Amino acid sequence: MPKATRPDLAAMLVPLGRALTDAERPVLDRHGLTMWGYVVLLGLDEQPVHTQAALAKAIGADKTRIIAVLDDLQRRGLLEREPDPADRRVNLVRLTPAGARLRAGAQRDIQEQERRLLADLPAADRDTFLRVLQQLAERTGSARFPG
């Protein structure tokens, strides 16, 4: 059997993902966000209203797991929840302007950190890497968040 010419994708991506997540934590701490809080903010747009269940599905979380996160973000004025007029058993969730500003600031700082990480790559390689990574994320359904 021929020897593999490269590591498997998961063998490369999982450690990279862990390292990126570890690098994001101090940035999120500076913004007063937990990882799940940031994921929730990324899963919301300013205009569309999502049910809690739809939001949980979009971010890949159990709907009961995010209730405490939603409670915290709502207490802080970063999102609003209100009963759906069509079904009062369902809560609609939307980002507040303060939530949008916090999300944008945290994302800007995280992506600046990513730019520094990728800075040593030639521009064409960097652009190709990001484009292909985005295509793979979309193909696998893991590109769930607004840009």
Side-chain angles (χ1 to χ4, degrees), residues 24-41 68-69 71-78 98-99 101-103 105-107 109-110:
E24 284 182 9
R25 280 197 177 93
V27 174
L28 295 176
D29 288 346
R30 285 194 304 273
H31 287 274
L33 286 170
T34 64
M35 188 63 71
W36 273 111
Y38 182 58
V39 169
V40 166
L41 294 180
V69 176
D71 289 344
D72 176 61
L73 295 173
Q74 183 176 13
R75 265 192 305 277
R76 295 172 55 198
L78 303 172
R101 284 189 302 275
L102 181 61
R103 177 187 69 185
Q107 191 170 43
D109 291 351
I110 287 170

